[in-house]
Every structure is written in structure tokens, then in C-alpha cells.
Amino acid sequence: MRTTLRIAATLCLATCAPAFAAHEISSADGFWRASFEGRVEAEVWHMDQSPPGLVIFDESTYFQPRLVLALDLMAGEHWLAHVETRWDRGFDAGARDEGDFRVDEVFLRWRPLGDQRLQVQVGKFATVFGNWVERHAFFDNAFLDAPLPYNRMLALNDRGPSRVATIAARREVRDAKTAWLPVIWGPSYATGFAVFGALGKIDYALELKNASLASRPDAWSPWQEYFDYPTMSGRLGWRPSATWAFGLSASRGSYLLEEAQPALPTGTGRENYLQTVLGADARWAWRQFQVSGEVITARFDTPYAGDLDVLSYYVEGRWKVNPALWIAGRWGQQFFSDIDGRSWDRDAVRAEFAVGVKVTPDVLLKAQYSYTHESGGGAQGENAVGLGFGVRF
């Protein structure tokens, strides 16, 4: 009954939303400008067993409504302030089952030259690593979820030091989603500073954040991790033509939370146990076809299990059948280094298929099927079906 009421309320809000549209206002001379965008989004997921990845609920069917409100304030060509808030049932579906209101992004951007060559940004914002984050929003993503390296949980604890025995038991237990980490936690809205820009065919970006790429959303706010153990990330991109784009990314920083400190070996601290991530990405676009992908390798330094390595990749393609319809597919895999003669986590493969329909330029329907298989079996479900609805106002 509660799920039915949530669906009805979300559809009602989505239907009424265009009546409240307020897009952009400006001063008489155009120097001061303000733009507003709202989005109502909803997803329904059905899983055959315990859901894999960054899906926290334990039910076989789950409804995730979302209200997004974004505001941009601009002063000339040099200054931009951005705030984006969300209400849903948690940043990851089910994390806050009774509802959660958050400020996911808030930053101030300065363009000292008044163009794209140099931009300086401070606040809470998505990471510059890789090429998936730039299309992670509902209306930009051909799928309903993130690729494998951005949302699959690994048997790695950030609340305490990972031990060999705990890691070895990975094959027999479900994901411990309150303690484990992915390689990169979705778009990673940590807090910090960034310098980025475009010089001809070259893109560059460098950021200093208060939390690692693997860190959970609870660590992203500035009052959680401060900057005692910062993470540095960067990306260098090359666009030789309108068809091709390439990039190299890197990141390094402490992934352990403060509560892990008491259990670390004497004389060591969180600064001794780092996450190092390297990535290469590519994109090809021609007419109605687009193919993109990333190869990401990560190493986690641990006090009792040594260095734990994971190699991930995914390739996704989208075909725009016509301006209103697309079909997409994505394939990804993960491979792990050995510990005590076997891989420290289950190797995995994931195949995903999605269809999107733009009813109007501001109303989008999406459907997705995902198949995830982990070596050695395990307690996770393999099949997931999702339906999504979004409207912009």
C-alpha cells in the first residue's frame, strides 16, 4: 500500500510539475542571471535475489522516487554558483528507506579569463576522474545505473582494517553494504577544490578532495573527513576530432574512515593505507552511434592483507534509432589479484541492455535488464529489471 501511494504521489507531482516551471531570469543588462531546473524521477527495480551493487534494499521489488532541484546563479562571464538538492530514499536506492533530503552539489566556479581555458572551482561536486561521470544524470545516462567499477561492492572495509580471514569468507556471504566499498562510489560528490579547462583539443582537470574515490556518501560532506587525509585526482583528455575523444586519469588518497584508526597496527595511521586508481577512457561518436568505455585499475593498501588489486573495464554503446528512441548495451568485467592462492574477491561479468524513449524533450522513459555473474557462485542475485521515468520542469 505504501509503495502504491508513493507511486501515485510521484506521478501526480510529475504531471503537475510543468505548471511550476521557472527557467531563467536576468537583470536588464544581462549581467546577473539565474536559472532553475527541477526534475521528478522514479525507478522501479525487481531482483531475483539479494540485489547486487549499490542497491541497499533487501526486497525483491523496490520503488525509488526522486525530486531534484537545481539553481545556477551567474555574474557576467566570470562567476557561477550552483546548488543541487535531492529528495529520495537514499543516494543509493534503499540507503534511507523513509526518505532523505540532501544537498548533493554546491560549488562556486570562477573563470578568470571569461572562457573555458581556465576554471577554478570550490565546493562539493562530482569527481573529474574518467568519462562516465559527465553523463551520470538520469537524462544523460542511457542506463538506469552506473557501470561495474562505479557500483559493485568489494570485500574491502573502510570502517576497520580488512583481514585475510574476512576477505576469504567473501564467497559465502552477501555484500556487506554498510562496510564494503566499490572502486569508485558513483559520481563521488566529495568536497574540495578543482582547476580545469580546455586548451584547443586538450582537456585538463585536477582536484583535491576530502575523501577518496571509493569513499561512501556519508564521508563527502566537508564536516565529515575535513582535509586531514586528502585525495588528489586528475584527468588529461585529448579530442583529435569531433568523432574521437581519449583520456587518462589518476587518483591517490586514504580510503579508511576515522573509526578504523584504533584497529591499525601501532605506529601507523590512515595515511599509510591508500587507494591508488589509474584509468584510461575513450569515446567514439558518429551520426546516431556512440561507443564509450573505460579501463580502471585500483590498488588498496591494507595493514593485514597486503596490497589488493582489482582491474575493471566496461564498454557501452548507444544507437539512436530516431530522435525519440535509443537502444543501448553495456558489457563489463572485474578481475582480482590473489591472496592465499586465490583471488581476494569474486571475478565478475555484467551484461546490460536498455531502451529509452523521449515522449517529449522533457519526458523520458527508460527500461533496463542486467545480468551479473560472479565466479564461484555466491549469495547475490544475477538478474535485475528496472523501469525509469523522468520529467524536467
Side-chain angles (χ1 to χ4, degrees):
M1 180 65 181
R2 292 173 61 193
T3 298
T4 302
L5 290 175
R6 288 185 180 119
I7 294 174
T10 300
L11 292 178
C12 178
L13 182 57
T15 303
C16 300
F20 302 101
H23 295 288
E24 183 169 316
I25 59 175
S26 62
S27 61
D29 61 1
F31 182 83
W32 299 99
R33 305 182 305 282
S35 65
F36 169 83
E37 180 183 86
R39 302 193 302 273
V40 175
E41 302 162 1
E43 299 171 11
V44 178
W45 285 99
H46 177 75
M47 313 284 181
D48 60 353
Q49 294 183 49
S50 174
L54 292 178
V55 179
I56 313 300
F57 64 87
D58 290 323
E59 308 165 26
S60 60
T61 301
Y62 193 80
F63 175 62
Q64 169 77 323
R66 185 181 304 112
L67 172 64
V68 183
L69 300 175
L71 175 66
D72 286 333
L73 300 175
M74 292 156 280
E77 301 301 323
H78 295 275
W79 294 96
L80 165 69
H82 173 80
V83 179
E84 185 164 304
T85 64
R86 288 185 177 90
W87 176 88
D88 50 28
R89 300 175 74 183
F91 185 85
D92 302 298
R96 300 286 189 274
D97 193 55
E98 296 305 314
D100 182 38
F101 176 80
R102 303 178 311 281
V103 178
D104 276 346
E105 286 192 288
V106 53
F107 60 79
L108 178 66
R109 181 180 298 170
W110 176 42
R111 297 175 178 145
L113 304 178
D115 56 29
Q116 303 297 317
R117 289 175 294 170
L118 175 63
Q119 303 185 66
V120 181
Q121 186 164 289
V122 57
K124 187 171 181 283
F125 50 88
T127 182
V128 302
F129 190 99
N131 74 357
W132 174 77
V133 173
E134 65 186 16
R135 59 182 187 279
H136 74 278
F138 185 89
F139 276 83
D140 300 322
N141 189 358
F143 301 84
L144 289 171
D145 62 358
L148 200 61
Y150 290 85
N151 83 344
R152 182 175 182 245
M153 305 301 285
L154 311 180
L156 192 77
N157 194 349
D158 61 341
R159 302 185 186 276
S162 300
R163 301 178 184 273
V164 175
T166 304
I167 295 172
R170 164 71 167 103
R171 296 175 183 273
E172 287 74 40
V173 300
R174 296 191 301 175
D175 289 349
K177 299 185 180 183
T178 60
W180 292 358
L181 303 174
V183 175
I184 305 173
W185 201 300
S188 187
Y189 292 125
T191 301
F193 312 86
V195 177
F196 58 97
L199 300 172
K201 297 181 178 181
I202 302 297
D203 302 322
Y204 67 92
L206 188 66
E207 68 182 17
L208 184 70
K209 294 285 195 71
N210 68 328
S212 71
L213 293 183
S215 63
R216 62 188 64 250
D218 291 345
W220 295 344
S221 298
W223 51 83
Q224 294 297 326
E225 285 298 301
Y226 302 100
F227 281 87
D228 294 333
Y229 305 96
T231 290
M232 180 75 76
S233 305
R235 181 179 182 273
L236 184 64
W238 176 46
R239 294 172 286 106
S241 67
T243 301
W244 288 98
F246 304 93
L248 296 174
S249 300
S251 178
R252 185 171 174 83
S254 175
Y255 67 93
L256 295 176
L257 298 178
E258 184 177 0
E259 59 197 276
Q261 179 63 52
L264 297 179
T266 303
T268 67
R270 290 190 286 161
E271 70 276 8
N272 298 112
Y273 306 104
L274 305 178
Q275 179 196 19
T276 304
V277 191
L278 301 175
D281 61 76
R283 176 192 59 82
W284 174 81
W286 180 72
R287 294 184 179 178
Q288 68 268 43
F289 298 98
Q290 180 173 309
V291 179
S292 59
E294 296 182 71
V295 178
I296 299 173
T297 180
R299 167 166 292 182
F300 294 88
D301 304 327
T302 69
Y304 302 111
D307 295 337
L308 302 179
D309 297 333
V310 52
L311 174 66
S312 309
Y313 79 88
Y314 74 89
V315 178
E316 65 179 49
R318 178 167 63 174
W319 172 37
K320 288 188 176 181
V321 181
N322 57 51
L325 172 67
W326 76 68
I327 299 173
R330 183 162 65 197
W331 174 271
Q333 288 185 274
Q334 280 188 323
F335 307 95
F336 298 86
S337 60
D338 288 346
I339 181 173
D340 283 356
R342 65 175 185 174
S343 59
W344 65 270
D345 206 329
R346 300 191 195 99
D347 293 346
V349 59
R350 179 178 295 171
E352 300 167 279
F353 304 93
V355 176
V357 178
K358 280 192 173 182
V359 181
T360 73
D362 294 314
V363 178
L364 175 62
L365 301 175
K366 292 196 285 188
Q368 177 177 321
Y369 167 73
S370 297
Y371 171 77
T372 304
H373 178 74
E374 300 175 345
S375 63
Q380 303 300 134
E382 291 190 331
N383 299 284
V385 177
L387 299 174
F389 168 80
V391 57
R392 291 184 290 202
F393 60 93

